[in-house]
Amino acid sequence: MSATSLSDTCKSSFATLNVSTEGPQLPELAFPPRVLEITEYGADGSRLQIALNTEAIQQTIDACAAAGGGTVWVPAGNFLTAPLTLRSNICLHLEKGATLVASSTEAQFRSTEANRHIAAENGWLPFLSIADAQNVAITGEGTIDGQGAVWWERWREHIRATGKKGGTDRPRLIYIVRSKDVLIEGLTLTHSPSFNIVMRHAENIEVRHTHIVSPFHAPNTDAIDPIDSRNIRITHNVIDCNDDHIAIKAEQADPRFPQGVVSNIYIAHNTLLQGRGISIGGETSGGVNNVLVAHNHFEGSMYGLRIKSSRGKGGQVRNIRYVDTTMVDVAVPLVLSGYYEAAPIARSEVDAILAKGGFMVGEQLYPPDTDPAQIYDINKTPDFAQIVIDGLTATGKINAAGYIVGVPEAPLRDLHFHNVHIEACHGLVVRNAKIHANRLQIKATLGPAWTLEKDGVINP
């Protein structure tokens, strides 16, 4: 392939868009016509290759960056490698049939003093790092394979030893931190040790036309997590994972962003299969503002649309729009909850908690509606308002229409449902929330269409 056509391949075609209808406008990415192939630096992608290609691939990236940038070309083959770091002005392009295979040796993912600045928040080195960089792309029809099985078993061993789930003490697959103007396009991401794509303190990021796949037994394999980041576009992806399809998190307030450390997020035209929904939270302390979720299709998911947080990790979530959403066989289409408390693993402990009242949805506990109000804190209280769900159809095997449950010190308000049709076994539970409904239709085969608990209101 010529250098000119390669440059065109790695050029982002971001269009000028209206934020209010089609998401944030992002800058166009462009790369010099320089092309360096990793095999020229000694990388070997033969199927029987057991030696690491880390040094050869990293040398290719560094040489291309030192020369002013361009495309690092990964040809067809299976290239086993330890963690890699991308640089500014680099397009890493995986052609069809090319696979970057992550080493499963734990020591290679341990950060040191020299590379701690690229480590993820949990201290592990990601497989692919984009840190303190700009104008970076990862493109092509190839595959990035995280070889996560050994890490998933490590997680299970922790549970067996302690009886507690613990956190995601495992590497991320792609980690974008303190960076801007980044494109991920066309790839298949699979078998991530934990979260697939994480962006933290990042701006102007687009993920499009990717396939993100994790098996059912792969724990905590979120597909895409924008954290304390702004101007994000997530479009035309197919996601099949074992946790949140997308999890927007605002972990820490920042005075530079008084309206929210997360803002201007556009999530559209995605197909969501196995997984736990397009989510905002569980951490919202820093504030989330201006999110548009449009034209997405769910099939076979555990959850659909979720806003979730808990006291101590809550904050203000504002200006959220869900438009033209379809769901088939989604267990719970809607969860907007100020109670996001994980249930214990031991069933006896769960039963003891539920004996005091309340209920459990999935792995989350809800107290009874006699739960008293607490002192309001703008960076700790789950406070969700100015939310519109416009056009939602959910049919098939659905357990419950949803749970709209605010905390008493900050009831959900300015919540609008337009053209919402859900067919489910059980109806909608509403507590500490006021819904303004226009053409809201819920068909429940068991029980009422909705249950209004304490301070739950639906205005037709």
Side-chain angles (χ1 to χ4, degrees), residues 345-364:
I345 292 177
R347 185 67 217 186
S348 59
E349 295 180 36
V350 172
D351 291 342
I353 294 171
L354 294 180
K356 301 175 184 178
F359 57 91
M360 186 166 72
V361 179
E363 299 173 356
Q364 307 303 315

Side-chain angles (χ1 to χ4, degrees), residues 397-421:
K397 298 177 181 178
I398 296 176
N399 182 41
Y403 299 87
I404 314 298
V405 180
V407 292
E409 62 269 26
L412 292 171
R413 59 201 181 279
D414 202 9
L415 176 60
H416 300 265
F417 284 13
H418 303 290
N419 301 314
V420 173
H421 174 86

Side-chain angles (χ1 to χ4, degrees), residues 12 21 30 35 46 57 71 78 88 107 115 124 133-134 145 154 261 266 303 308 311 326 337 405 456:
S12 171
T21 59
V35 179
S46 60
I57 298 174
T71 297
N78 293 270
S88 294
N115 59 22
W124 292 98
Q134 64 184 59
D145 186 339
R154 184 177 178 273
V261 295
Y266 181 59
Y303 299 111
K308 53 180 183 171
R311 289 166 170 151
T326 57
S337 174
V405 180

